[in-house]
Amino acid sequence: MKSRKSFYKNAVIKQDFRQFGWISLVYLVSLLFTLPLGLLQIASRKYVIFSDYKNYLMVNPEIQIVLYFAVPVAAGLLLFRYIQNEASVDMIHSLLIKRKTLYVSHVISGLLLLIVPIIITAIITFFVTNTIEGFSNILTISDLFSWIGIVTLLTCMMFSFSIAVGFITGMSTVQAILTYILLFLPIGMVTMVTYNLSFLLFGFTTAFIEEELMYLSPFLRFVGSWEGPQPYSILEIMIYILFTVFFFVIGLVLYKLRQLERATDVIAFPFLRPIFKYGVTFCSMILGGSYFSATGDLNWNWIIFGYIIGALIGYTVAEMVLLKTWRILRLHFFTGFIIYSVIFIAVLLGIKTDLINYEANLPRMDQIEEVYFGNKYDMQELIRNDIDPFSDNKLYIQDVRNLHEEIINQKDFIESQQHSDINKVQGFITYRLKDGKQFTREYQLPAEAFQKNLTPVMESEGYIVNKPEFFQLQREDILNMRIHPVGPGHHTNTITISDKKEIEEFRRVLEKDILSQSIEDIVSPATPWAYIDIEFKRSNNEEHFFDGYSIDWKKSYDNVTKWLDEHGYLEDARIDVHDIKEAELTIVNPQNQAEDMFSPEEYYQTGQKHATITDKESLTTLIRHFTEYSSDHTYYVKLILKDGNEWYGSIPDKYMTDQMKEQIK
């Protein structure tokens, strides 16, 4: 009995309930309004798709996320608020109660105040769910237990995290701010550091990091957990449990070590002050570098300026916060900043001079098992569909490696072209090595400059069959194929192919055209004739969701054009020369292309010389190579359609005929 009494104090728990019981009441009322009442509100709507709500987290999710990441933090702050006040901390610790006993008693109080409302809400929600016919068959008792477990775990983790942070600082306001800063710090740090490395290291890629970022923040992970019957994996739940236990333990350790007179100090432990100061400095520095890299088009003068200003602001603010005064211009202020600057400059020079041989590193042929070359988002999509995107063709591997070797040799040229608007290819290269590791690099390659090395890679079957559109065409559950013409006034002219025989024929000719593309066709910026939307058959539990994929009908797809013509679809499937009344051509001086211009029409308006094109041969050339998406061209065009609509775009210089150039002189 004596050991039990020393473990916690009933009097402390009762006092917490009297003083902070309103937290539990607020939490309960909020949960009741959010979940059971939310279910009743949804069911009362005139039109509702019950299958949209796959789990209880999808009922008023925005309100739920606020509750689970605000109420536990507030509870941790209020229950231990006495340690942040000089008068109350002395009074409480003058009692004959050990710190361990006080800590455990307050933790028990907080857990009871937070968990009881969850259980009461779950009981009421169970009965409400069973009274609504639409939900009773979808939201099962196992879903409710899953909700109880996840919400209880999140609540306990945020409560323990708030408590642990509270012992680091001596101010309640700082405790609340630090709790949320540290909650997002891992994802913020990884994002900013990898972004900076992407322009510091040639070939560095953030692929695979992007998809894992949400797991670094419980907040963002919860936002992404609304979909699916099992929002969290078993591994995630185990990690969250370990973190919760760790925060409770570290909170107890910090409480025992903390000096009582540290109340009102921003950082209560002296050894944490340098970590805080230089951590703030580093975060502010990379934020400044990131900002000026984006606004200054990766101009190194601006990037260095951003690093310096960011570091100076962060260091100054951190010093003011720690000293709680603006009078910080002392010797240690300058020496500390100089030491930090020297260390950072050394690290930056080490990265830029590639001391670790990251940029020039290239695996040998005998080390490579398989390779992928293409777009990183295409690769991620294939992996999500359980498609292995790698090729083990030795000739293809050699071609990709030859291209990669040339990229390394042309590093300076590629970096000099990174801000230009010339047509580029995303060169995402991933080698799967024989030792099981992966070697990944990413580049933006000027298409014309690297055409010799890109041709054997991008015209090979190993590259084309790993395009997502090729994979989608192999599916056997195609329901129909709709063709949406590109151009003004033609969005309603939809051609639908639903006959099974025609779908199979059209799929084959489309596949044939994709496989036969030259590199010029693949990288061409020309606006497609139309978009081909492929709709797939839906399973019963997805009957309300669109399942489809869109493929460009490129102007180089001659077999598709021929098939549509033979089946009587071609006339309404695209805008071609027969739909054009005339075209007005103009020359645009690149110096007149302001940064705030975004549309071809705005560029066209700056043209000085104009010519009206009416001959069929020139109009055919214009519509064939017409593009809406480029801002690096000299010749801009306004197509005047027979239906009165106007269509603005541009033409690459190499497709301008002598006749058209002569007319616009």
Side-chain angles (χ1 to χ4, degrees):
M1 180 65 71
K2 185 177 181 180
S3 62
R4 184 180 68 84
K5 287 294 183 181
S6 64
F7 186 64
Y8 68 91
K9 282 285 185 181
N10 286 326
V12 175
I13 297 175
K14 289 178 182 178
Q15 177 60 28
D16 285 340
F17 270 78
R18 284 195 296 268
Q19 190 173 358
F20 302 111
W22 61 270
I23 297 176
S24 187
L25 183 61
V26 169
Y27 201 25
L28 174 61
V29 172
S30 300
L31 287 173
L32 291 177
F33 269 89
T34 302
L35 210 60
L37 188 61
L39 291 171
L40 291 171
Q41 286 178 312
I42 293 169
S44 66
R45 295 172 186 169
K46 188 173 182 180
Y47 299 104
V48 57
I49 302 174
F50 290 101
S51 59
D52 285 354
Y53 301 91
K54 300 177 182 179
N55 57 62
Y56 284 100
L57 294 177
M58 298 181 72
V59 180
N60 290 323
E62 297 85 1
I63 302 176
Q64 288 197 58
I65 195 169
V66 172
L67 290 176
Y68 308 148
F69 289 90
V71 176
V73 173
L77 190 149
L78 292 171
L79 283 165
F80 288 90
R81 192 173 183 276
Y82 65 89
I83 66 170
Q84 318 293 23
N85 183 279
E86 291 177 334
S88 61
V89 73
D90 290 335
M91 187 272 291
I92 293 295
H93 291 92
S94 65
L95 301 174
L96 297 177
I97 305 176
K98 294 181 179 179
R99 292 194 188 187
K100 178 181 178 182
T101 304
L102 279 173
Y103 179 82
V104 173
S105 300
H106 289 309
V107 167
I108 292 173
S109 301
L111 292 177
L112 290 174
L113 290 171
L114 294 170
I115 294 175
V116 170
I118 296 173
I119 296 173
I120 294 174
T121 301
I123 294 171
I124 296 174
T125 301
F126 171 76
F127 291 107
V128 171
T129 302
N130 283 279
T131 61
I132 303 172
E133 184 177 351
F135 283 127
S136 59
N137 296 324
I138 298 173
L139 299 175
T140 63
I141 187 67
S142 62
D143 293 324
L144 187 58
F145 278 115
S146 176
W147 177 85
I148 295 172
I150 290 171
V151 172
T152 301
L153 180 57
L154 282 175
T155 299
C156 293
M157 185 174 71
M158 290 306 301
F159 177 59
S160 65
F161 185 56
S162 175
I163 292 172
V165 173
F167 292 112
I168 293 174
T169 178
M171 301 174 68
S172 297
T173 305
V174 176
Q175 177 183 353
I177 295 172
L178 274 180
T179 298
Y180 290 108
I181 288 178
L182 294 175
L183 187 64
F184 289 96
L185 185 62
I187 187 171
M189 285 286 289
V190 171
T191 301
M192 287 292 98
V193 169
T194 54
Y195 173 73
N196 279 261
L197 287 175
S198 68
F199 57 77
L200 290 173
L201 279 176
F202 181 64
F204 183 84
T205 178
T206 59
F208 309 118
I209 298 175
E210 297 169 352
E211 289 195 328
E212 306 300 325
L213 280 179
M214 78 164 103
Y215 294 100
L216 297 177
S217 170
F219 183 90
L220 294 181
R221 179 63 186 94
F222 183 80
V223 172
S225 70
W226 301 341
E227 299 289 341
Q230 188 175 2
Y232 291 87
S233 67
I234 300 298
L235 177 60
E236 286 179 285
I237 292 172
M238 294 302 298
I239 291 173
Y240 281 10
I241 291 173
L242 290 175
F243 271 126
T244 302
V245 174
F246 171 77
F247 291 137
F248 278 131
V249 172
I250 202 68
L252 177 59
V253 172
L254 291 174
Y255 192 13
K256 287 183 175 181
L257 296 176
R258 175 165 165 155
Q259 297 175 352
L260 300 182
E261 60 270 21
R262 293 298 180 182
T264 73
D265 284 1
V266 175
I267 300 297
F269 294 91
F271 74 91
L272 290 176
R273 291 179 182 179
I275 298 174
F276 172 81
K277 179 165 63 176
Y278 292 110
V280 171
T281 304
F282 179 75
C283 291
S284 180
M285 181 193 68
I286 61 173
L287 184 61
S290 301
Y291 173 79
F292 283 99
S293 70
T295 58
D297 289 331
L298 291 181
N299 183 299
W300 268 104
N301 293 328
W302 281 111
I303 292 173
I304 298 299
F305 176 77
Y307 284 145
I308 295 172
I309 292 297
L312 188 58
I313 292 174
Y315 188 83
T316 303
V317 170
E319 193 78 0
M320 287 181 177
V321 169
L322 287 173
L323 297 178
K324 295 193 286 187
T325 178
W326 59 270
R327 297 178 180 179
I328 58 172
L329 297 180
R330 303 171 187 173
L331 180 61
H332 77 87
F333 173 84
F334 296 102
T335 55
F337 187 74
I338 290 171
I339 293 172
Y340 173 85
S341 300
V342 170
I343 295 173
F344 171 70
I345 291 170
V347 173
L348 184 63
L349 288 176
I351 294 174
K352 283 304 294 177
T353 55
D354 196 23
L355 289 179
I356 61 174
N357 198 37
Y358 180 92
E359 297 174 349
N361 194 10
L362 181 66
R364 302 188 311 270
M365 271 296 294
D366 61 348
Q367 294 178 308
I368 304 172
E369 184 75 30
E370 297 173 305
V371 71
Y372 172 85
F373 176 86
N375 184 293
K376 64 180 177 182
Y377 300 110
D378 289 348
M379 181 181 185
Q380 290 168 356
E381 183 177 341
L382 290 169
I383 292 174
R384 280 194 294 269
N385 285 280
D386 298 323
I387 304 297
D388 186 0
F390 290 89
S391 172
D392 59 359
N393 183 287
K394 295 301 179 184
L395 179 60
Y396 182 63
I397 294 174
Q398 184 66 66
D399 288 335
V400 172
R401 191 184 180 281
N402 291 342
L403 170 62
H404 194 176
E405 188 173 18
E406 182 64 16
I407 291 171
I408 294 172
N409 294 334
Q410 298 293 327
K411 171 195 169 185
D412 294 338
F413 170 73
I414 294 173
E415 290 186 327
S416 69
Q417 299 294 312
Q418 61 186 350
H419 307 307
S420 66
D421 291 325
I422 60 176
N423 195 23
K424 295 177 183 175
V425 172
Q426 186 186 81
F428 182 76
I429 304 173
T430 299
Y431 302 100
R432 185 180 282 168
L433 305 181
K434 292 182 179 179
D435 61 4
K437 297 179 181 178
Q438 286 194 6
F439 182 100
T440 303
R441 297 291 187 271
E442 182 181 357
Y443 311 94
Q444 295 295 325
L445 306 176
E448 291 190 11
F450 283 83
Q451 183 169 336
K452 178 181 177 182
N453 293 94
L454 282 170
T455 298
V457 174
M458 298 183 69
E459 291 186 358
S460 70
E461 187 172 321
Y463 172 81
I464 296 174
V465 298
N466 277 324
K467 301 291 287 181
E469 54 262 34
F470 192 85
F471 156 70
Q472 298 291 346
L473 285 172
Q474 310 307 308
R475 292 179 55 169
E476 298 180 354
D477 57 343
I478 298 177
L479 185 64
N480 58 60
M481 305 174 82
R482 294 190 175 94
I483 302 173
H484 301 277
V486 175
H490 282 67
H491 57 278
T492 57
N493 295 350
T494 302
I495 306 297
T496 302
I497 302 173
S498 54
D499 180 78
K500 290 184 179 180
K501 181 180 178 182
E502 288 191 345
I503 288 174
E504 180 60 25
E505 291 177 359
F506 190 62
R507 185 193 64 79
R508 284 202 303 267
V509 297
L510 186 55
E511 181 182 312
K512 183 178 179 181
D513 273 331
I514 293 174
L515 286 170
S516 63
Q517 292 294 283
S518 67
I519 187 170
E520 291 87 355
D521 299 329
I522 294 172
V523 303
S524 172
T527 298
W529 289 125
Y531 301 114
I532 303 170
D533 288 342
I534 304 175
E535 185 177 358
F536 302 102
K537 296 176 183 177
R538 295 176 290 262
S539 58
N540 292 333
N541 60 342
E542 295 180 336
E543 58 181 343
H544 299 292
F545 296 90
F546 175 77
D547 183 12
Y549 193 86
S550 184
I551 298 176
D552 289 354
W553 169 18
K554 293 188 176 183
K555 291 171 179 174
S556 55
Y557 288 0
D558 295 330
N559 290 302
V560 169
T561 303
K562 181 180 178 182
W563 187 91
L564 290 171
D565 189 23
E566 291 174 350
H567 289 75
Y569 295 124
L570 187 60
E571 183 177 351
D572 296 325
R574 65 177 183 176
I575 294 178
D576 64 4
V577 67
H578 303 292
D579 299 300
I580 303 173
K581 178 183 177 183
E582 61 185 22
E584 291 184 6
L585 197 63
T586 187
I587 297 178
V588 175
N589 188 332
Q591 296 180 352
N592 295 334
Q593 299 182 16
E595 293 183 1
D596 58 349
M597 290 183 180
F598 300 100
S599 70
E601 182 177 358
E602 291 177 308
Y603 290 123
Y604 178 86
Q605 301 301 334
T606 65
Q608 301 298 319
K609 298 179 180 180
H610 292 77
T612 301
I613 308 295
T614 57
D615 66 284
K616 186 174 181 181
E617 181 179 349
S618 296
L619 291 176
T620 301
T621 301
L622 288 173
I623 191 63
R624 179 82 180 182
H625 302 291
F626 175 91
T627 177
E628 299 176 283
Y629 309 114
S630 180
S631 61
D632 65 318
H633 296 154
T634 303
Y635 297 94
Y636 281 75
V637 63
K638 176 173 69 174
L639 300 177
I640 302 172
L641 307 184
K642 292 179 180 178
D643 61 7
N645 283 295
E646 296 177 348
W647 196 7
Y648 292 87
S650 61
I651 303 294
D653 296 5
K654 65 180 180 180
Y655 296 119
M656 287 289 294
T657 64
D658 293 337
Q659 180 182 352
M660 288 189 289
K661 290 180 180 179
E662 188 67 29
Q663 286 182 264
I664 203 171
K665 278 186 177 180

